[in-house]
Every structure is written in structure tokens, then in C-alpha cells.
Amino acid sequence: MPDLLADGDALVVTGYSGLDQLIRLVSQRGDAAGQLRLLLGSEPSSSSSQDFSLHNRSFEQEVRSYWLSRGISLRLSGQLIHCIELLRNGLVSVRYPGPGPRVHAKIYCTQVAVTLGSSNFTAPGLHSQHEANARFTPKDEPRRYREIWQYAEFLWEHGTDAKGALLALLENLLRCVTWREALARACAELLEGNWAASYLESLGHSSDVAVWPSQRKGIGQALYLIETVGGVLIADATGSGKTRMGVHLLRAVYDRIWSASRGHKGLIAMVCPPLVLASWERESLRCFLQINIRSHGALSHSRAGDESVISDLMVRSQTLAVDEAHNFLSQTSNRSRQLVHNLADQVVLFTATPFNRSASDLLRMIDILGADNFDDQVLASLERLTRLKGGLRDAAPEDLATLKSALARFMVRRTKKQLNSMVDLEPDAYRLPTGRVCRYPEHHSQVYELNESAHDIKLAGEILAIARSLVGITHFEKALYLPESHARSGMSAEAYLQMRLKSAKGLACHHVMASLRSSRLALFRHILGEREALQRLHLQHDLAVEGDDATGNMRERITALQGRVPENRLGIDLPTWLSDPEEHRRECEAEVGRYTYILMRLERMSDGREQRKCQLLLGLARQHEQVIAFDHFPLTLRYLQYLIARPHGDNRVEVLLGVGGKKRQNQALQARLDPERGKGRVIALCSDALSEGVNLQRASAMVHLDMPSVVRYAEQRVGRIDRMDSPHDSIECWWPRDADTFALKADERFIARVEDVESSLGGNLQLPDALL
């Protein structure tokens, strides 16, 4: 390069594939170094044919076709303009080989020296490949110097002028566009992710699993965010293949670290729910990537500063990945604090529901990603929007635009509708060996009535009235003090006490009505414990006590609490029933009395709602081979299983249970509902423990037996069957429409949260119009 950039005339004979490097050379020599002549020879042909046309026009077309299909880097735009000016001013001359044999020589002649050999004037030829060249100077070897110049001149003399053809090619490569088109092209480069393709090419021959275009694009976007922010939140819809995409992303991050020759060579840690741990291990094995995978439970049982393996991983991992990151939104839990204090250079979070209760959930995600990586303006925008009392529905349009812009700086989010649009562009790229194209099925969302009798509605209204008078005395067993986080925010002890009193009343009422909505048996259990609840409904011989009999059992808990007032560390006076043991005893007796009044109404209520749910499930089982239903209370699910399986039930349908803590039972259920190997007519009754991380998409109908209170549960329940690899063209999702006295205030908040997600992130839940 110093020879070619020295003053004086120069003659270069090289292949046409080095045009981009030659543009740099022309621009660097400028108009002061002297005349530069370029003879662009041929490149080796991949064709085995020996019959080549030697007409100049065909060679010109070959060069033109090569570069128009390849394109010139945007970074060369300024040098390309300079090169065109020098060509037009005659300071650079260009020729193609004339008729005769193809020219494949590489010769670089200058006033300082001549060089010839195997090196083409390309980036590999100049920098990275092993080549063999010889260099001769006029002082040391004048004869060889003259002979090489003479041979280069001979080739030049037999060439054909190509100035016009090259100018036309360069101007086509330069193609001027508006700033809008240039910006759109830049956005497309990031969104399509093609710039990151090289980090996936290494898996092309070794991995036995194809990556969909949607996953490749997501990886490209995520790599860009990791490069610019240091972390990324992958928030694609449930069932979009985040596990496979995640492993390939981590492999790309690992390859990128190595290609950059960074000193710390990429220890990768993954924290995921136990149910999907095997899936991450299987995908990482296919990717030939070593990941240290631990379950969420390992974080829960680890303490900051101890010597456990998980604590060591939080400190030593260069890349930290967290699946189902919505499980770490609590600011006070030990496992959340462990994650927030990680020392990883790159953090990758995965969740389909980053917005669960409010916009503040997004701030918790940023805490894990590392808030110091984000602009103060982004954090301020999120903080301001989280304080809106009416949620994002009260946000001004400009605030929503600011929020979406802030989210785009750390989140990759594609909704089910967007992913299906990607499939429509390249359906063959999503085709399975069976011939089926992977896409989200058509979603039919419907409501079902519970058909409560007037008598039951009246009793439920009376229960609600009594529940509203509960004080929630069991929420005041431990010492009362002002938490440090509330003190920092400026909350006074008086305000904190009022907040606790109000929330205790609200929670006590909510637990009663949520249990009643699920089933009479669930409310009996809440008040009396599981054993006596089964006896009240004469089920002790049909359903065994499986849970902790002390769970719920409010009557016994309150009786045992009588006279035990909480320690007062607030420094202010408490209500007498919280400070005087005798008053506390009387209030406990009154609270037990309220629950007793609720029991009196409950015993007179029919099981009509439970029977209606069974009828719905059996009716759907006649239309769908497999049906899945969710309820928050495992005891209710066991009760419904008993009702469906009674002698008058449909013996052709098997009713299976899927609840937490039943590993073997849940594995059997997953096998029956597996999209490839599952079979048989099944009604699967599941708690929310099976709404996350399991594939149940052989079922084509899903029923909410109760109304989910937060977006996460709703999306996860629906996501068990609404998946891209569903074997069904359409699915049905059924939502309950309760009588007003059985409904909860939380239902309205849930609908509001769904609307907030839709306005800020783009929603994936399709609610029936009747609910909206």
C-alpha cells in the first residue's frame, strides 16, 4: 500500500472482485499522486465449462452483474463519489481485457517497486489469506523491475477502454435516495437482522434444527440491543419458539465475544423454571453450546454473599439469561435481589408477559438488565407513566409514543398477529416435515354463562355483604413497622397504617369471593380447612385430604390468634382492637362470627355453577378430542374431576389432573397432550402451575373455569394451545361470564390491564366482545 500511495504513475492489474478496495485506493491517492491505470481482469469461474465467450460485452456484463447483486458498502459512499470525479477528470483510467485469453494476472507497478503474485486486490488477498508474492525495486533488481513493467504495459495495450462502463456501474452502485428511504433501509437492516447472519452461519451444517426467519430476525434485533444497551428483553408471544431462538441467540453472543477477541471468554448462565430446564438443555446440546443451567428454585434458596454455585454464577457469568423473567418482579424477594446484583456484561431476559399488573413491571425488568445502561430520559418516562392512577388509559398520546420509544430501546416484541404476517411472507421456511406450515391457529374467543339461580345469586349477594365487613385480622400477626422502602418514598407511619388496614379488609373479602367463584368446596376449605370442607359436602370417602389442612381454615387461625396483639414499632397509636388484648379477643370472636354467617349462607347454596362447568367441559369434549381447563384452586379441580367421572358422566372421556407438586402425574398429562405423541379423548383440569413452560397444544379448546386476575396467567393459559406449532387450524378459548354478585372487582382491573398492554406493547389476548 505505501508503494501504491507514493507519488508517481501506477499501473494495477487485478481481478474485478477487488473493486471496493480499488475505490478506497483511488480515493486515497487523490489527484496529487499522479496517473493511475487499472486493468480489471477476470475471476476464476465456478463453471466446469471450458467454452467461454471472449467478447468484451459479455465480460462487462459479468462485472456488472457481480457488483449489482453484491452492492457496495454504505461506508464507501463518499469515496465512491470521489472516485467518479477522478475518473471523469482523467486522473484514473480503466480498461477491461481485450479479445483473447482471459486475464488473471495480479501485478502492481509503481515508481517505487513492482509486486506480482497470487494476491488479488481484495480484503482477503491484502490481509487474511496466505499468499505468495514477489516485490522488485529498480535499485536492487532493475532487470526484473523493467520486465514486469513491460508485461503489465503489454496487457494494458491489449485492453479495451472501460471508463464509460465503469462510470455507469459506479453511479448505479451509488444510487441516490431520499433521507427517508435511507433511514428506512437502515431500519430494515436492523429489523431483518441480516447483518447478524454471520453469527448463525457456523450452525448451518452442525445443528440439526432449522431456525425460522422470525427467529433469525429476532436474534439480529436482540444482538443489536445487546451491543448498544448491554441487555435485551425478548417478549415475543407465547408459543413463538423463544427457547430455540434463545439458545441460538446465546450461541451468537458467544461467537461474537470470541470474534471480538475479548479477554473474558463467555461463561453463560441460564436461570429457568424447572419444567423447561430439560428443553433448554436439549436445545443447547443441539447448538453445541455449553450453558450453566439452574432452576428458579436455586436462586430462592441462595443468599447474597454465600458460597453456593448459583451465587458464584451471578458473579462470574459474562452472559446471564433468565427465562420467564416475570417471576422476578418483586423488589423484596431474595431471588429477585440475587438477579439484580448480577455482574454479567450481557443480560438476556425472556418473557411473553413483561407487563403483568402495571407499567412498573417494566422498571423491574430494567433493574435486572442494569438501569445504569439506560438513558435518564427513558427511566424518567417510565417512572412518570407508572404513577398514572388510571393506568395507561389516562396517558396522553405523546406519553404513549414516548413509552413505546423507550420500550424499543431494550425489548424485542412481536405479537401473534405480527408473527403470522412473517409466516405469510415465507410460508415454506416454516414448513414441517409433515408438510404443515407453523403458524398461530385461528382463535375463537367465546363466553359461557353460569346460569346461576335467583336463589344462589341472592345468597352470594349476602355473602359479599358480610365479606365486606371482615377486618382481615389474620394480616396483623407480625410486628407492625414502616418498611424502609416506604419511608424513603416519604410515606408516614399514619398513612402506612391506613394502607395496611384497608388492604387487610380488601384481601379478606377477595379471598372469600374468589373461593366462592371457584366452587362452594373452595370456600368451605378457606373457612374450615380441607378435611372439614370435604365432610360438609359428604366427600370424605371420595376425595382424600391432599393439601395442608391448616391452609385456609380461617376460623381455627383466628381462634388461635385471640388476644395476641402485634408488636407496635410504628411509633403511633393503633386501633384498640390491635393494641388491647381484650379488645383484640372480642374482635377475633366477631370475625369468627362473620365467617360463621358466611357458612350459613354457603350451606344453603346449590352446586349449580359447578354442574354448569362440568356440562360445558363434557359438551366441548364431544366436539374436541382434547380439552384443557384452568382454575386457581386445586381442590376445585379435584371436585370437578369427581363430578365428571360419576356414573352419569361420559365414560369415553378420561379426566386428568395437572396441579403443582405432582411431578409424575403432570408428566403423564403432558404425554397425553403432546402435539406429536399424545392421543385419546381427554379433559385436562389444570392449576396455574401448568400454565407455564409446558406444551399441551394437542388440545384444541381451553376453558377458564375462573377469571384470571392478571395478564400473565391469562396469556399463559391461552398459550398452552395457541402456539405456532399447534396441529390445529383453529382453537376455542372460553371465558366465564359470572353473575354480578359472583364477579370480582379484579375483573375490571384485569380488562384495564389487557387494554394497557394493547396500547403500549401490542396485545396477544383476544377477549370476547361480551367481556369488553
Side-chain angles (χ1 to χ4, degrees), residues 240-482:
S240 60
K242 284 194 294 297
T243 302
R244 181 165 299 169
M245 173 182 159
V247 170
H248 281 77
L249 169 61
L250 294 176
R251 172 61 191 260
V253 170
Y254 181 80
D255 290 348
R256 191 164 171 80
I257 291 171
W258 273 91
S259 66
S261 299
R262 296 174 187 169
H264 189 185
K265 292 297 190 286
L267 178 64
I268 302 175
M270 158 60 69
V271 182
C272 66
L275 283 174
V276 297
L277 195 145
S279 297
W280 280 100
E281 289 178 338
R282 184 167 54 250
E283 290 294 339
S284 61
L285 184 62
R286 289 172 173 172
C287 248
F288 302 96
L289 179 65
Q290 184 176 357
I291 305 178
N292 293 277
I293 305 177
R294 298 290 185 274
S295 74
H296 285 177
L299 273 177
S300 299
H301 297 111
S302 175
R303 298 288 175 186
D306 69 13
E307 299 300 323
S308 67
V309 172
I310 191 70
S311 297
D312 212 24
L313 277 176
M314 294 298 105
V315 174
R316 296 179 180 274
S317 298
Q318 186 172 10
T319 304
L320 172 64
V322 183
D323 193 16
E324 306 296 359
H326 51 257
N327 289 314
F328 299 90
L329 297 179
S330 170
Q331 291 180 285
T332 57
S333 71
N334 180 60
R335 64 181 187 177
S336 295
R337 289 198 298 268
Q338 289 272 338
L339 277 186
V340 169
H341 295 129
N342 76 83
L343 299 180
D345 294 338
Q346 299 94 23
V347 179
V348 184
L349 306 182
F350 300 90
T351 176
T353 52
F355 194 133
N356 189 34
R357 294 182 182 274
S358 68
S360 61
D361 295 341
L362 300 170
L363 288 174
R364 305 290 78 77
M365 297 289 182
I366 287 178
D367 286 341
I368 300 173
L369 290 172
D372 54 338
N373 292 325
F374 293 86
D375 294 339
D376 292 340
Q377 182 181 359
V378 173
L379 299 176
S381 299
L382 287 173
E383 287 277 11
R384 187 175 69 256
L385 290 168
T386 60
R387 291 194 293 269
L388 293 174
K389 291 188 177 180
L392 296 181
R393 291 174 297 173
D394 290 348
E398 56 270 21
D399 285 335
L400 279 177
T402 301
L403 174 61
K404 291 180 179 180
S405 175
L407 296 179
R409 302 194 186 189
F410 67 93
M411 184 185 298
V412 174
R413 168 80 167 182
R414 281 89 57 87
T415 64
K416 294 175 181 178
K417 184 177 180 180
Q418 291 169 329
L419 289 164
N420 271 353
S421 297
M422 293 182 184
V423 175
D424 292 338
L425 293 174
E426 305 175 78
D428 288 339
Y430 297 83
R431 197 175 299 279
L432 296 171
T434 60
R436 184 175 182 83
V437 175
C438 282
R439 60 178 295 114
Y440 285 100
E442 186 177 351
H443 188 122
H444 299 285
S445 193
Q446 304 180 59
V447 298
Y448 64 95
E449 305 286 347
L450 274 299
N451 300 334
E452 299 94 339
S453 67
H455 179 68
D456 286 347
I457 291 175
K458 178 176 180 294
L459 289 171
E462 293 175 2
I463 290 175
L464 175 60
I466 299 169
R468 284 174 174 165
S469 67
L470 294 168
V471 298
I473 202 165
T474 56
H475 292 275
F476 299 96
E477 294 185 52
K478 298 181 180 180
L480 281 170
Y481 64 94
L482 181 63

Side-chain angles (χ1 to χ4, degrees), residues 441-677:
E442 186 177 351
H443 188 122
H444 299 285
S445 193
Q446 304 180 59
V447 298
Y448 64 95
E449 305 286 347
L450 274 299
N451 300 334
E452 299 94 339
S453 67
H455 179 68
D456 286 347
I457 291 175
K458 178 176 180 294
L459 289 171
E462 293 175 2
I463 290 175
L464 175 60
I466 299 169
R468 284 174 174 165
S469 67
L470 294 168
V471 298
I473 202 165
T474 56
H475 292 275
F476 299 96
E477 294 185 52
K478 298 181 180 180
L480 281 170
Y481 64 94
L482 181 63
E484 185 179 342
S485 58
H486 289 79
R488 284 199 304 267
S489 66
M491 179 178 284
S492 66
E494 290 82 359
Y496 175 73
L497 175 61
Q498 291 305 313
M499 181 190 74
R500 285 289 307 272
L501 292 170
K502 183 179 179 180
S503 65
K505 284 180 63 68
L507 284 170
C509 179
H510 172 81
H511 289 317
V512 168
M513 299 311 296
S515 300
L516 177 61
R517 167 188 260 184
S518 178
S519 67
R520 288 189 309 148
L521 182 58
L523 183 51
F524 273 123
R525 173 185 175 275
H526 176 65
I527 300 174
L528 301 172
E530 191 166 315
R531 189 180 307 278
E532 190 170 343
L534 294 174
Q535 292 174 357
R536 286 292 180 106
L537 293 183
H538 309 291
L539 296 170
Q540 65 271 27
H541 302 299
D542 302 298
L543 299 178
V545 176
E546 292 189 0
D548 180 3
D549 193 46
T551 303
N553 207 344
M554 299 304 296
R555 194 169 66 175
E556 185 174 304
R557 284 181 60 191
I558 297 170
T559 300
L561 190 64
Q562 289 183 9
R564 292 162 46 197
V565 297
E567 181 185 352
N568 182 6
R569 300 182 193 168
L570 288 174
I572 59 173
D573 292 335
L574 301 180
T576 54
W577 60 271
L578 281 177
S579 56
D580 181 83
E582 192 57 36
E583 285 294 325
H584 186 271
R585 186 183 305 277
R586 280 195 285 270
E587 189 62 49
C588 285
E589 291 173 351
E591 192 89 335
V592 169
R594 297 176 193 114
Y595 280 111
T596 302
Y597 287 136
I598 291 174
L599 283 174
M600 294 168 59
R601 272 77 176 173
L602 186 59
E603 288 172 336
R604 292 159 49 198
M605 188 176 287
S606 76
D607 63 351
R609 285 170 54 86
E610 292 88 330
Q611 294 289 353
R612 168 62 183 135
K613 292 174 184 179
C614 293
Q615 292 169 7
L616 173 69
L617 292 173
L618 286 169
L620 290 173
R622 287 189 282 271
Q623 304 170 35
H624 302 267
E625 183 184 20
Q626 295 188 345
V627 178
I628 185 171
F630 284 96
D631 191 283
H632 180 72
F633 294 89
L635 183 59
T636 294
L637 297 173
R638 292 167 53 211
Y639 181 40
L640 295 180
Q641 181 189 37
Y642 162 75
L643 291 177
I644 295 173
R646 284 197 303 188
H648 66 269
D650 190 339
N651 294 326
R652 294 170 298 173
V653 181
E654 188 173 0
V655 185
L656 301 178
L657 276 181
V659 297
K662 303 285 185 179
K663 184 176 180 180
R664 185 172 298 178
Q665 176 181 279
N666 293 342
Q667 288 174 341
L669 183 145
Q670 291 180 62
R672 294 293 299 277
L673 275 72
D674 184 271
E676 297 178 359
R677 298 180 295 276

Side-chain angles (χ1 to χ4, degrees), residues 109 143-155:
C109 301
R143 180 178 175 182
R144 289 192 174 182
Y145 174 81
R146 289 194 305 274
E147 289 173 348
I148 294 167
W149 254 108
Q150 288 170 356
Y151 182 59
E153 291 284 4
F154 169 80
L155 295 174

Side-chain angles (χ1 to χ4, degrees), residues 27-84:
S27 181
Q28 288 177 39
R29 279 179 59 91
D31 53 7
Q35 179 75 21
L36 174 63
R37 291 177 291 166
L38 304 175
L39 177 64
L40 301 182
S42 64
E43 298 292 345
S45 172
S46 60
S47 170
S48 59
S49 171
Q50 299 301 310
D51 182 19
F52 296 103
S53 170
L54 299 180
H55 295 293
N56 186 59
R57 179 170 176 77
S58 69
F59 181 76
E60 177 185 325
Q61 288 178 336
E62 182 181 326
V63 177
R64 184 179 180 84
S65 174
Y66 176 88
W67 279 104
L68 289 181
S69 63
R70 183 183 181 89
I72 286 283
S73 169
L74 274 169
R75 297 179 180 179
L76 286 177
S77 297
Q79 297 177 60
L80 190 54
I81 293 171
H82 191 197
C83 184
I84 290 173

